[in-house]
Amino acid sequence: MKNKGFILWLTGLSGAGKTTISKALAPALQERGCQVELLDGDLVRTHLSKGLSFTKEDRDTNIRRIGFVAHLLSRNGVVVIVAAISPYRATRNEVRQMEPNFVEVYVQTPLEVCEGRDVKGLYAKARAGEIKGFTGIDDPYEEPLNPEIICNTTKETVETSVENVISKLEHLGYL
Ligand code: ADP
């Protein structure tokens, strides 16, 4: 049976683990016969959203573009994994309105853990005032109120998060 497309939307702070979990999810979904595309926020900003800033308006434009492309792919049967901070609840919900097959995954890692990891050294720069408007420091992050899935990366390994996502997708009838 051909799998139907859907959007698996990972939201969370910088360094929460969105990219890491997405990259581990992709092969797990492919093994289950899915065609998978990964839209990673960092990469999108070098192509589709090149030139956009981190103001609320440009962040929203970025998310709407990602949502639009993800929707085009998913309606053609592709499972689209999106890994993007996507800090604004209303904008994420706009994508949800456009795409009925939308699964929100909250990668719930506390700010202090993300900052402690500081994978890209960005938190240090934000604290030093070298980056303005950094999510979680001097820019908002609005947590999802009813995400389909929560990955708690302080309690779970990446493998456990992947297993939880897959089993939830089975439960929801996507796999
Ligand atoms: P994001 O894409 O959300 O900015 P990244 O995936 O780039 O975050 O970075 C997350 C970092 O946290 C990686 O260095 C990853 O190895 C680490 N990490 C530690 N534990 C976990 C976990 N349980 N799940 C995901 N990432 C984890």
Side-chain angles (χ1 to χ4, degrees):
M1 194 187 80
K2 198 173 175 300
N3 284 309
K4 67 175 172 186
F6 59 92
I7 301 178
L8 195 57
W9 190 287
L10 281 70
T11 173
L13 294 170
S14 177
K18 302 179 297 297
T19 300
T20 306
I21 295 171
S22 296
K23 284 184 174 163
L25 268 168
L29 288 162
Q30 281 160 342
E31 273 169 28
R32 286 164 178 80
C34 300
Q35 282 201 78
V36 180
E37 190 58 71
L38 172 58
L39 295 177
D40 190 274
D42 290 339
L43 199 63
V44 164
R45 277 186 174 274
T46 68
H47 296 281
L48 184 67
S49 289
K50 193 178 168 85
L52 289 185
S53 73
F54 289 87
T55 60
K56 180 177 190 303
E57 193 186 7
D58 276 8
R59 285 176 185 272
D60 284 347
T61 300
N62 179 44
I63 293 314
R64 289 187 186 112
R65 285 183 191 174
I66 295 174
F68 177 68
V69 172
H71 172 63
L72 296 184
L73 288 165
S74 75
R75 76 180 185 190
N76 282 289
V78 177
V79 174
V80 186
I81 309 173
V82 175
I85 298 173
S86 40
Y88 296 106
R89 190 178 295 134
T91 323
R92 294 192 303 267
N93 285 339
E94 262 181 50
V95 181
R96 185 190 282 276
Q97 295 305 314
M98 176 171 61
E99 170 59 63
N101 300 313
F102 182 88
V103 180
E104 191 172 27
V105 182
Y106 178 25
V107 184
Q108 187 178 37
T109 309
L111 176 64
E112 39 303 357
V113 175
C114 296
E115 197 170 353
R117 291 177 183 165
D118 208 3
V119 202
K120 299 162 207 153
L122 296 175
Y123 283 97
K125 286 189 178 169
R127 289 290 184 196
E130 290 165 31
I131 302 175
K132 302 273 182 229
F134 195 75
T135 302
I137 305 294
D138 56 350
D139 223 46
Y141 178 77
E142 299 173 355
E143 293 190 330
L145 298 177
N146 289 301
E148 278 76 8
I149 306 169
I150 294 178
C151 295
N152 186 334
T153 74
T154 55
K155 299 210 176 107
E156 300 165 10
T157 61
V158 177
E159 293 70 31
T160 307
S161 293
V162 169
E163 280 166 23
N164 289 347
V165 171
I166 297 288
S167 77
K168 184 69 185 188
L169 290 172
E170 284 169 352
H171 183 71
L172 292 170
Y174 285 106
L175 296 177

